[in-house]
Structures are given as C-alpha cells and as structure tokens.
Amino acid sequence: MQAQVKYESEVKSAVLGDRTITVKNLTPVFSPQEQDKLNREIERRLFDVFRKYAGQRG
C-alpha cells in the first residue's frame, strides 16, 4: 500500500483586463530521505542527457 502524499498549496490571483485569473500551485511534501532520493534520480537523468549531447559539440 502506498502512503498518502501531502501537498502544500499556494494560491495567486491576478487581474487581466476585466478578468481575475487564479492559479493554484500544489507542491508535494516529502521527507528528507525521499527528497534526497528524488534529487539523486534527477541528477542522474540530467547527467545522462548532458553526456548524450556533450559529444556533439563542434
């Protein structure tokens, strides 16, 4: 069973002409261990992309 993910909510409103636009941003809240794991995974994937395209420089 997967744990329920909690989210932090941020709401911003802006007026554009005669309309009010509201944007609700939800950000997941992770434990420090989960955040470290996610950061390592992102770094690994970015490294793979950089390595793929680094050899194509002129």
Side-chain angles (χ1 to χ4, degrees), residues 3-15:
Q4 184 71 20
V5 177
K6 293 184 181 181
Y7 291 90
E8 224 175 65
S9 177
E10 179 183 2
V11 178
K12 293 193 178 195
S13 295
V15 177

Side-chain angles (χ1 to χ4, degrees), residues 17-44:
D18 59 344
R19 292 182 164 179
T20 301
I21 298 171
T22 303
V23 176
K24 184 175 184 180
N25 184 26
L26 296 176
T27 306
V29 178
F30 296 110
S31 70
Q33 295 84 9
E34 290 173 315
Q35 188 65 45
D36 287 343
K37 183 180 176 183
L38 288 171
N39 285 345
R40 283 192 305 274
E41 180 66 18
I42 290 168
E43 287 172 0
R44 185 187 65 78

